[in-house]
Amino acid sequence: MLTAVVVPEGLEAVQAALVEESRLLAGGTDLMPRLNDRATPPTRLVSLRRAGLDGIAVGADAVRIGATTTLARIEDDDRLTILRGCVRSIAARPVRGLATVAGNLFVRQPHGDLAVALLALDAEVEIHGPGGPRAQRLDQVLAAGLAPQELVTGVRFTPPQTFRYHKAARRRFNSASIVTVAAALTVVDGVVRDARIALGGLGPRPLRCETAEGVLVGRPLDEPTVRDAARAAETVIEPFDDAYASAWYRRRVFPVHLRRALLGR
Ligand SMILES: Cc1cc2nc3c(=O)[nH]c(=O)nc-3n(C[C@H](O)[C@H](O)[C@H](O)COP(=O)(O)OP(=O)(O)OC[C@H]3O[C@@H](n4cnc5c(N)ncnc54)[C@H](O)[C@@H]3O)c2cc1C
């Protein structure tokens, strides 16, 4: 059973509180319902509420977002319009007022829409652990997870020339992803010079799709190119069945949503 909820002040105190069997609690929008459902073994919770890890810094070519910054705060920040469409696609405003950036990195699919966007932005994750601070690319963090007693303290990225985000869901707002596509592109004279594509709803975790990127680079950003990129991606996606859509449906509609994300139609 849940034996304690501790609310340490500051990062060092959080670190000290993170003993074995404890679990980090950020906004609690994912963790608390799962605790209530008893799907997660009850344990000791270490709240990040007073960890002092929130905040947004926007420099000339870099953005840093603190781990406990809420999605609502991102939504309201006029310097972060690049992420506004993404955060508005997540849950409803009351949930976004609690849900945090770092929490979104560790939720199960089909959630994790901000993680998909940050993956396309090639975000770097700032991590703090018993050995001190370190930084790691988000794709590696998603694949390998954190070491015991580590926590995320922030994420940072460089805004790309062009960023696209598209989420297909049963309803326009407040509905989980069927397919999410985020893309960071550099296009010069109509030709793709650089591409990073990330997908949600199409695998056990947000997926960086390098096979599709390889097809896009060096070609015009048009329907035949995007069709070929979708075909290439189909070899690596692993769609799944859930309450929102079947694996078959996700695979079937994926090329349409890749096209909508990349071409806007
Ligand atoms: C009604 C509803 C609708 C939702 N719809 C969507 C949706 O459309 N899209 C979507 O992406 N999500 C959705 N979610 C899921 C969730 O709200 C978000 O993913 C949210 O960003 C999770 O953040 P949190 O702060 O609440 O995480 P928590 O629930 O507090 O934690 C989630 C996990 O992250 C870990 N964690 C938290 N902070 C850190 C840290 N700093 N370092 C390491 N580990 C950490 C926790 O230990 C836990 O395992 C929805 C949730 C609800 C309740």
Side-chain angles (χ1 to χ4, degrees):
M1 56 187 280
L2 182 59
T3 52
V5 180
V6 293
V7 191
E9 302 239 1
L11 181 56
E12 297 308 323
V14 169
Q15 195 72 71
L18 268 181
V19 291
E20 240 176 90
E21 297 298 316
S22 54
R23 186 88 184 255
L24 285 165
L25 172 69
T29 59
D30 181 72
L31 187 58
M32 291 317 289
R34 285 200 284 129
L35 279 181
N36 290 336
D37 290 347
R38 292 177 176 269
T40 304
T43 178
R44 185 180 116 106
L45 299 182
V46 177
S47 169
L48 294 175
R49 181 180 291 269
R50 296 197 191 134
L53 295 177
D54 63 326
I56 296 170
V58 180
D61 56 6
V63 173
R64 182 188 183 278
I65 309 177
T68 59
T69 307
T70 65
L71 306 190
R73 186 155 172 207
I74 294 174
E75 182 178 7
D76 293 343
D77 195 315
D78 288 333
R79 300 168 302 167
L80 280 183
T81 52
I82 189 170
L83 290 175
R84 193 170 279 164
C86 170
V87 292
R88 281 196 177 150
S89 81
I90 296 173
R93 180 78 188 185
V95 173
R96 295 199 290 271
L98 293 167
T100 67
V101 172
N104 199 267
L105 306 182
F106 299 103
V107 295
R108 284 176 302 182
Q109 287 283 292
H111 289 159
D113 292 312
L114 182 58
V116 174
L118 290 169
L119 201 51
L121 290 166
D122 204 18
E124 201 166 43
V125 182
E126 296 171 6
I127 296 164
H128 200 278
R134 67 183 180 96
Q136 192 167 27
R137 280 178 47 184
L138 176 57
D139 55 350
Q140 292 164 356
V141 173
L142 294 177
L146 300 176
Q149 293 164 43
E150 283 190 328
L151 72 147
V152 171
T153 54
V155 295
R156 47 180 195 245
F157 61 88
T158 301
Q161 181 210 56
T162 305
F163 183 68
R164 306 260 169 79
Y165 175 85
H166 173 77
K167 174 176 169 180
R170 284 189 174 272
R171 292 189 309 256
R172 181 145 178 247
F173 295 111
N174 200 5
S175 190
S177 168
I178 292 174
V179 171
T180 298
V181 181
L185 303 169
T186 305
V187 182
V188 180
D189 298 330
V191 174
V192 180
R193 296 290 177 212
D194 190 35
R196 290 192 303 267
I197 309 286
L199 306 172
L202 294 168
R205 59 176 181 270
L207 178 75
R208 176 89 184 264
C209 196
E210 279 151 6
T211 49
E213 295 167 6
V215 172
L216 291 170
V217 172
R219 292 181 59 182
L221 189 58
D222 58 14
E223 294 226 8
T225 303
V226 174
R227 208 179 304 126
D228 288 349
R231 217 168 277 141
E234 278 169 24
T235 61
V236 293
I237 59 175
E238 298 172 59
F240 49 85
D241 295 322
D242 65 8
Y244 306 100
S246 66
W248 176 87
Y249 182 75
R250 284 188 157 99
R251 183 176 288 280
R252 179 82 190 238
V253 299
F254 160 64
V256 174
H257 296 300
L258 184 68
R259 190 191 72 219
R260 287 187 185 159
L262 296 182
L263 302 179
R265 57 179 186 269

